[in-house]
Amino acid sequence: MTGTRPNHVVLVHGLWVTPRSWENWVPYLEGKGFTVHTPAYPGLEIEVEALREDHDRIASLTVRETLAHLADVIGTLDSAPIIIGHSFGGTLTQLLLARGLGAAGVAIDSAPTEGVRVSPPAQVKALFPVLKNPANRRKAVEFTPEEFHDAFTNTLTAEESEAVRDRYAIPAPGYWVWEYGILANLKPGHQDTWVDYSADRAPLLFIAGGEDHIMPPAVNRSNAKHYKRSPAVTDYHEFEGRDHWTCGAPGWEAVADRALDWALAQATGPARPTATTA
């Protein structure tokens, strides 16, 4: 970290959505003087409506290629960015920081990295549409309106939820949910979502929503605590009453402000050693 104000913000979307999910954040952050980047996962650069008809494109995605693609995007920038990721984008944010990338990172309603074993009942219920059939490991799985409402938008009305789903939702690779949500802690050796929790890296903030079903606060608190041996700054903040759609639900500006203000304070603080590359 150099102590200079970052010029770039990289927003990393999660599963079941695309970069369109950041459409409110882009002008909001640009209005604060940042150049904002919203890279899609490789192959998902097309519009939401087209992706709903192309399940094979989604099902074949891998975390390794996605991480490499995001690292390449960041590598083209002229200075280290603030990286903000939502849901599985929070996992990818942690992995990018572990590679020594970014001036600061914020993981919002983050899916866990390897080693986090907390699985509250609400999370199991929200992910059950994927986990109920092992054959889904080879498929792209979409949520029904009722399932999406429970997993993403449980603080909204059914009508509001369906409007969100219609605008933003796509299927998600079932392999990711199975391998990195269930099996990662059961298989020997390091998996694609492993990080060295004791290593140094850029500062990292976890933001959780108190009413999030699919990535409840307990998951994010546990993930943050795994970094207790790291010399790097790791913080946690919880917004009461907010669900998984916290980056788009009414009041999202408070989430954006908290993420940005914290990241700026950390990234422009006293110089510190460069994060260790994983």
mmCIF file of all heavy atoms in Angstrom, residues 12 60 62 138 154 234 238 258:
data_model
loop_
_atom_site.group_PDB
_atom_site.id
_atom_site.type_symbol
_atom_site.label_atom_id
_atom_site.label_comp_id
_atom_site.label_asym_id
_atom_site.label_seq_id
_atom_site.Cartn_x
_atom_site.Cartn_y
_atom_site.Cartn_z
ATOM 1 N N VAL A 12 -16.864 -7.016 -8.183
ATOM 2 C CA VAL A 12 -16.913 -8.422 -8.590
ATOM 3 C C VAL A 12 -18.267 -9.006 -8.195
ATOM 4 O O VAL A 12 -18.590 -9.102 -7.005
ATOM 5 C CB VAL A 12 -15.777 -9.230 -7.941
ATOM 6 C CG1 VAL A 12 -15.771 -10.668 -8.490
ATOM 7 C CG2 VAL A 12 -14.423 -8.560 -8.181
ATOM 8 N N SER A 60 -20.044 -24.722 -17.421
ATOM 9 C CA SER A 60 -18.647 -25.077 -17.677
ATOM 10 C C SER A 60 -17.644 -24.135 -17.027
ATOM 11 O O SER A 60 -16.432 -24.337 -17.124
ATOM 12 C CB SER A 60 -18.389 -25.110 -19.193
ATOM 13 O OG SER A 60 -18.608 -23.837 -19.779
ATOM 14 N N THR A 62 -15.143 -22.369 -14.429
ATOM 15 C CA THR A 62 -14.319 -22.836 -13.308
ATOM 16 C C THR A 62 -13.861 -21.639 -12.483
ATOM 17 O O THR A 62 -13.727 -20.518 -12.996
ATOM 18 C CB THR A 62 -13.075 -23.610 -13.786
ATOM 19 O OG1 THR A 62 -12.161 -22.694 -14.421
ATOM 20 C CG2 THR A 62 -13.459 -24.720 -14.751
ATOM 21 N N ARG A 138 -23.268 -30.944 -12.421
ATOM 22 C CA ARG A 138 -22.877 -30.815 -13.829
ATOM 23 C C ARG A 138 -23.785 -29.859 -14.597
ATOM 24 O O ARG A 138 -23.714 -29.786 -15.811
ATOM 25 C CB ARG A 138 -22.910 -32.194 -14.500
ATOM 26 C CG ARG A 138 -21.954 -33.200 -13.868
ATOM 27 C CD ARG A 138 -21.950 -34.508 -14.631
ATOM 28 N NE ARG A 138 -23.253 -35.166 -14.575
ATOM 29 C CZ ARG A 138 -23.642 -35.962 -13.600
ATOM 30 N NH1 ARG A 138 -22.837 -36.194 -12.569
ATOM 31 N NH2 ARG A 138 -24.842 -36.520 -13.611
ATOM 32 N N ASN A 154 -35.385 -11.776 0.776
ATOM 33 C CA ASN A 154 -36.386 -12.137 1.770
ATOM 34 C C ASN A 154 -36.928 -10.951 2.558
ATOM 35 O O ASN A 154 -37.933 -11.086 3.261
ATOM 36 C CB ASN A 154 -35.833 -13.186 2.739
ATOM 37 C CG ASN A 154 -34.477 -12.830 3.302
ATOM 38 O OD1 ASN A 154 -33.474 -12.916 2.592
ATOM 39 N ND2 ASN A 154 -34.423 -12.438 4.560
ATOM 40 N N THR A 234 -8.117 -6.982 9.307
ATOM 41 C CA THR A 234 -9.354 -7.666 8.938
ATOM 42 C C THR A 234 -10.460 -7.147 9.838
ATOM 43 O O THR A 234 -10.367 -7.250 11.067
ATOM 44 C CB THR A 234 -9.235 -9.193 9.114
ATOM 45 O OG1 THR A 234 -8.091 -9.677 8.416
ATOM 46 C CG2 THR A 234 -10.486 -9.882 8.581
ATOM 47 N N GLU A 238 -21.745 -5.483 10.399
ATOM 48 C CA GLU A 238 -23.037 -6.103 10.114
ATOM 49 C C GLU A 238 -24.134 -5.046 10.021
ATOM 50 O O GLU A 238 -24.261 -4.199 10.915
ATOM 51 C CB GLU A 238 -23.375 -7.113 11.208
ATOM 52 C CG GLU A 238 -24.620 -7.934 10.948
ATOM 53 C CD GLU A 238 -24.786 -9.048 11.974
ATOM 54 O OE1 GLU A 238 -23.759 -9.665 12.351
ATOM 55 O OE2 GLU A 238 -25.921 -9.283 12.408
ATOM 56 N N ARG A 258 -20.256 2.613 3.303
ATOM 57 C CA ARG A 258 -19.468 1.926 4.335
ATOM 58 C C ARG A 258 -18.271 1.218 3.698
ATOM 59 O O ARG A 258 -17.138 1.302 4.198
ATOM 60 C CB ARG A 258 -20.347 0.905 5.067
ATOM 61 C CG ARG A 258 -19.616 0.092 6.126
ATOM 62 C CD ARG A 258 -19.298 0.927 7.353
ATOM 63 N NE ARG A 258 -18.513 0.184 8.320
ATOM 64 C CZ ARG A 258 -18.274 0.591 9.557
ATOM 65 N NH1 ARG A 258 -18.767 1.739 9.973
ATOM 66 N NH2 ARG A 258 -17.549 -0.135 10.380
#
